[in-house]
Amino acid sequence: MRAVRGWVPGLRFRFVLLVSVLFLTLTAVMIVVASYLDLRDEENRIIEHARSVGATMSRLAVPHLNNHHYLILEQELESIAGSGIVDLAQVYDPNRDIIVDSDPLISYFDDIQLDPLILAAVASGSEKSRITQLEVTMAFPVRAGDATDVLGAALVSVPRPAAVGVVWAIWQRNATIALVLLGFCIPIALHAGSSFLRPIKSLTQTAHSVSAGNFDAPFPVDRKDEIGVLARAYRDMVARIRENLEQIHRLAFTDSVTGLPNREHFRQHFLKQADLSADKDRKLAVLFIDLDRFKRVNDSYGHEYGDTLLKEIGERFEDAAGVSRLDQATTYSGYGGVEDFVGGADISTVARLGGDEYAILFAVDDVRRDVAAVAERLVKSVERPCEVNGLALTVGASIGVAVFPSDGMDYTAILKNADIAMYAAKRAGGNSLRFYQDVESSIQVRDRLLVETDLRRALLQDEITVYYQPKIDCCTTGIVGVEALARWKHPTNGLLTPADFIDVAEETGLILPLGETVLRLACQQGRIWFDEGCGIPLAVNVSVRELEQPNFTARVLKVIEETGFPADQLELEVTETVAMADPEGLQNTIHPLREAGVRFAIDDFGTGYSSLAYLQRLPFDTFKIDRSFISGLGVEDSNRLIVQTILAMAQSLNFDVVAEGVETLEQHSILREIGCATAQGYLFGAPMAADMFAIWRAGFSCTFCMPGSCVTEPVEIANPISAA
């Protein structure tokens, strides 16, 4: 059946096939019924023929039996039998016990065996018959003229045609009629099927177009039938999805305070321009700007004054950089993210990265000259006092510059190097400009080489360990999972977090043994907890370098098998940026792990660009909302709206949701109120060693979880992290 379904090309063919099968079935039934009726008619015709001949013979025999003219009667019977219609004709005279036969070789003087039907007809005075496969035999009484006395009996035998021949002739006739009708039926069915299925085909094509990202595809909403109702409902659903996507991407790419592009928008814009610049041998300058003395404004007058000042400074930076708000809007398209630029378009953009930090990107020919000219205008723009609610506020600007590609080949390196140059400008007294290439970057290089050397030694000497941060049910505040996080017990620098060594591990390829080490340690500990009767689902982060390895799946399955940790209790976390970089390749890589029961989560959701069509097809189970959105809950309404939109999208796609970075009771309360199921953050517990986690878990379970009720306020408990 599956093979047949796979072979059938479409609804139109299936419709015609259905009509043809129904027609053929009905035709076969019709032929069977018609053949049966025709066969019965043929049998009745033979019986009637035999009856007609017999009745004629009985009338002809009356005068001959009365006058005993047997010779004349014999000649008449031979004439009847000679026509070929009758096999046998006999007349019986009971008075003289004489049988007159139609066979010329037999005389009425011969001793002929009397057929029982003749005796029955004479005795009863009524018609008698016998029907066999080969013939129909009938006997009729011969009565005198007054129709009272029975003079004798007449017997006639008529041959029956073979049933097979009759049936075959009937079937040939009816089959010919059916084929002729089928020849008319199929074209009519094809035409009717095309007309009937055309709107369904149109709706299907529209659905494919929408799933590919074309939300403006037309729907056949002008129809009044069920298809029109379905099309209108689908159109309204797509419109709501588009509005939600536009809203979430607008909020995700725009800074809510200044209206400028935010950090993610700036990152995507840089990546696209870097790709174009690589082909055109063009240089890009990134200016990292931090406002001097801004903290005093916030501390003295409050965040309302500070936000107003940030907005004013952002507008001045746009003017100084020669970027209009309309120009920046053209670099962003609602739900599609940052669009490609065509040659000759102005690529300059001004973004607020967060706090009092801004970034500017523009193309340069002469680096020193072009950057110095822009930086001078920027510094002068902030030197003018800004009037905020009647107060004249003044700040400065420390500017660091990194140039692509000479100061770095990727976004992370460029922004980090521009940040280093900015801090050099601050150390020089602020309100000044520094180029990264002028900063003592050789110190950084030596530091990174030292980290690489120490990390190689750490992997050999088992200095890598795993800390565990719990995931909490927002309603019951029960523990529902734990995330495994790498830590490095450095012999001289103490406990190091991934921020201190993960970049070096990625660049040098050490991330591969590091990732396998963390996975193995986490699964070993998870198995220990299961053996102790307190098993818990475990989440482990996976890097893009690991996913690119052809043996990644085999290594994960090997670790699961060797440690004995249940595969269905393991969840691997992949960042949204990695997931969207190569969705098809990612799907092929993780499919065997999904088959084994391993779950997958999109980490840092909301910071990258996710296509709805890809999200529907990617085999993920969980969204992890980035902490940048959670930190703004209770502060900015836009963050709450973003989280609500992500929750609605996750629910429609049947994803679980985990909120990262929950640090306050207010954030926890808002998450519970808007329906977020799971949270993770320092409010509940920081990452901790396995032994400390066991102590914390016991205390947390005793004081935090209240069976049968929903805890409204988290209970303050002693945090064992400080003892770790």
Side-chain angles (χ1 to χ4, degrees):
M1 182 59 70
R2 291 181 179 176
V4 172
R5 289 177 179 172
W7 172 76
V8 174
L11 286 175
R12 181 170 177 264
F13 184 88
R14 279 181 263 181
F15 177 81
V16 175
L17 184 63
L18 175 63
V19 172
S20 300
V21 169
L22 288 176
F23 180 81
L24 290 174
T25 303
L26 292 175
T27 302
V29 173
M30 179 193 72
I31 291 175
V32 171
V33 174
S35 300
Y36 173 76
L37 295 177
D38 287 349
L39 192 61
R40 291 293 302 273
D41 288 344
E42 182 68 16
E43 182 178 303
N44 292 333
R45 183 184 66 78
I46 293 172
I47 293 173
E48 289 300 321
H49 176 67
R51 180 176 286 113
S52 175
V53 173
T56 301
M57 287 172 54
S58 65
R59 288 195 300 272
L60 290 174
V62 172
H64 298 302
L65 292 182
N66 283 328
N67 300 317
H68 307 298
H69 295 162
Y70 301 120
L71 181 59
I72 298 174
L73 178 60
E74 185 179 43
Q75 292 174 349
E76 290 179 352
L77 294 182
E78 289 178 3
S79 175
I80 292 174
S83 65
I85 300 175
V86 176
D87 281 348
L88 176 64
Q90 293 179 341
V91 175
Y92 174 61
D93 184 355
N95 293 325
R96 295 190 177 187
D97 194 22
I98 293 177
I99 297 176
V100 182
D101 194 288
S102 60
D103 189 348
L105 301 178
I106 299 174
S107 171
Y108 55 85
F109 296 108
D110 296 336
D111 187 13
I112 303 173
Q113 185 178 359
L114 192 62
D115 193 301
L117 285 181
I118 293 178
L119 296 176
V122 171
S124 64
S126 61
E127 172 187 320
K128 298 297 179 180
S129 62
R130 179 177 64 246
I131 300 175
T132 66
Q133 292 289 339
L134 300 177
E135 60 184 5
V136 176
T137 303
M138 302 185 73
F140 301 88
V142 178
R143 296 181 182 276
D146 55 4
T148 55
D149 297 332
V150 176
L151 300 178
L155 182 139
V156 63
S157 179
V158 178
R160 291 184 63 185
V164 175
V166 175
V167 171
W168 175 244
I170 295 171
W171 273 70
Q172 281 185 316
R173 182 190 64 201
N174 291 337
T176 302
I177 296 173
L179 289 175
V180 172
L181 292 177
L182 187 62
F184 286 102
C185 174
I186 290 179
I188 294 173
L190 286 171
H191 178 74
S194 298
S195 301
F196 180 73
L197 297 173
R198 188 177 296 112
I200 298 179
K201 183 178 180 181
S202 175
L203 189 59
T204 303
Q205 291 174 343
T206 301
H208 284 303
S209 181
V210 171
S211 66
N214 179 19
F215 288 91
D216 295 320
F219 290 92
V221 296
D222 54 338
R223 298 180 62 90
K224 304 301 182 183
D225 55 10
E226 290 81 356
I227 295 176
V229 174
L230 178 61
R232 286 188 289 275
Y234 194 24
R235 178 200 59 186
D236 296 341
M237 179 187 70
V238 170
R240 287 193 295 271
I241 293 175
R242 176 170 57 184
E243 291 173 0
N244 289 339
L245 286 175
E246 288 177 345
Q247 180 70 357
I248 191 173
H249 280 281
R250 187 180 302 109
L251 296 172
F253 286 104
T254 306
D255 177 61
S256 59
V257 174
T258 63
L260 294 173
N262 62 7
R263 178 184 291 269
E264 179 58 24
H265 185 173
F266 185 81
R267 184 186 71 84
Q268 291 196 23
H269 183 50
F270 173 86
L271 294 176
K272 292 186 178 296
Q273 293 309 313
D275 289 341
L276 294 174
S277 297
D279 297 334
K280 298 180 179 180
D281 194 23
R282 181 175 56 180
K283 297 178 180 178
L284 300 176
V286 172
L287 277 60
F288 195 105
I289 308 170
D290 186 87
L291 300 182
D292 302 327
R293 304 180 301 280
F294 178 76
K295 186 176 183 300
R296 289 186 294 179
V297 174
N298 266 348
D299 294 344
S300 301
Y301 302 106
H303 289 283
E304 182 180 354
Y305 281 75
D307 289 348
T308 304
L309 179 61
L310 290 174
K311 183 177 181 181
E312 174 65 24
I313 293 297
E315 293 174 353
R316 292 187 180 186
F317 282 168
E318 285 182 310
D319 292 339
V323 179
S324 69
R325 187 62 56 91
L326 179 60
D327 290 336
Q328 297 215 99
T330 61
T331 69
Y332 164 77
S333 64
Y335 49 84
V338 181
E339 290 184 337
D340 292 328
F341 288 85
V342 294
D346 185 6
I347 67 165
S348 303
T349 189
V350 178
R352 181 189 175 216
L353 303 183
D356 59 348
E357 296 176 341
Y358 297 81
I360 299 177
L361 171 71
F362 57 93
V364 292
D365 296 322
D366 186 315
V367 175
R368 297 281 175 170
R369 182 195 65 199
D370 296 345
V371 171
V374 174
E376 182 180 0
R377 295 197 297 270
L378 293 173
V379 171
K380 288 182 178 180
S381 69
V382 297
E383 285 178 344
R384 301 195 313 271
C386 299
E387 186 174 336
V388 180
N389 295 333
L391 294 176
L393 305 177
T394 304
V395 294
S398 295
I399 306 174
V401 183
V403 180
F404 173 84
S406 58
D407 293 335
M409 295 300 296
D410 57 52
Y411 170 78
T412 301
I414 288 293
L415 199 65
K416 182 177 181 180
N417 293 339
D419 191 15
I420 292 172
M422 183 274 295
Y423 275 105
K426 274 193 176 296
R427 288 193 297 269
N431 210 36
S432 60
L433 169 70
R434 289 292 184 274
F435 288 88
Y436 173 73
Q437 61 186 23
D438 297 336
V439 180
E440 296 180 358
S441 56
S442 59
I443 298 177
Q444 273 195 330
V445 174
R446 289 196 299 271
D447 288 345
R448 294 179 75 84
L449 289 174
L450 182 60
V451 170
E452 179 183 352
T453 302
D454 288 351
L455 184 56
R456 291 184 184 276
R457 186 204 70 250
L459 289 169
L460 296 175
Q461 299 182 2
D462 297 330
E463 293 177 5
I464 302 300
T465 186
V466 176
Y467 273 37
Y468 302 90
Q469 186 175 30
K471 298 178 183 178
I472 305 300
D473 188 301
C474 283
C475 184
T476 66
T477 59
I479 303 172
V480 295
V482 65
E483 181 178 3
L485 301 165
R487 293 293 185 268
W488 179 5
K489 292 183 177 179
H490 197 281
T492 57
N493 297 334
L495 191 67
L496 302 180
T497 66
D500 299 315
F501 58 87
I502 203 70
D503 288 343
V504 175
E506 289 276 5
E507 291 177 5
T508 60
L510 292 175
I511 191 66
L512 302 179
L514 176 63
E516 184 170 355
T517 298
V518 172
L519 178 63
R520 185 176 299 275
L521 291 173
C523 289
Q524 288 174 347
Q525 182 61 56
R527 184 67 212 185
I528 292 173
W529 285 333
F530 265 92
D531 292 340
E532 293 174 349
C534 51
I536 189 170
L538 189 66
V540 180
N541 292 281
V542 178
S543 76
V544 63
R545 292 288 295 273
E546 292 180 271
L547 290 171
E548 291 173 348
Q549 299 303 307
N551 63 340
F552 169 73
T553 299
R555 289 193 297 111
V556 173
L557 293 175
K558 181 181 178 182
V559 170
I560 293 174
E561 181 181 1
E562 292 177 351
T563 60
F565 186 74
D568 59 357
Q569 296 296 302
L570 177 63
E571 183 174 73
L572 299 181
E573 297 185 2
V574 181
T575 63
E576 183 182 14
T577 303
V578 171
M580 291 300 107
D582 183 14
E584 300 297 339
L586 178 64
Q587 189 170 14
N588 294 333
T589 299
I590 69 179
H591 178 71
L593 294 175
R594 292 273 300 179
E595 290 289 324
V598 178
R599 293 168 56 86
F600 280 81
I602 299 181
D603 199 11
D604 301 334
F605 186 79
T607 61
Y609 165 57
S610 297
S611 165
L612 180 62
Y614 283 133
L615 284 179
Q616 289 176 316
R617 295 198 300 266
L618 283 178
F620 282 93
D621 305 282
T622 305
F623 286 161
K624 294 193 72 176
I625 304 176
D626 187 68
R627 64 181 65 248
S628 61
F629 299 120
I630 305 302
S631 63
L633 290 178
V635 179
E636 298 180 359
D637 292 340
S638 60
N639 288 74
R640 179 180 179 130
L641 182 56
I642 290 176
V643 175
Q644 285 179 308
T645 305
I646 293 176
L647 287 173
M649 182 185 299
Q651 183 179 10
S652 65
L653 296 176
N654 199 25
F655 278 72
D656 296 332
V657 177
V658 177
E660 296 183 292
V662 180
E663 298 182 355
T664 66
L665 293 174
E666 183 181 12
Q667 293 169 358
H668 177 210
S669 177
I670 293 175
L671 288 172
R672 188 174 60 236
E673 177 185 337
I674 63 179
C676 182
T678 309
Q680 177 182 352
Y682 277 66
L683 173 65
F684 311 107
M688 60 196 91
D691 54 348
M692 291 295 100
F693 179 80
I695 298 172
W696 173 89
R697 186 179 187 181
F700 185 89
S701 299
C702 293
T703 60
F704 221 78
C705 300
M706 300 174 64
S709 65
C710 180
V711 178
T712 57
E713 293 294 340
V715 181
E716 194 70 34
I717 64 172
N719 192 345
I721 302 305
S722 58

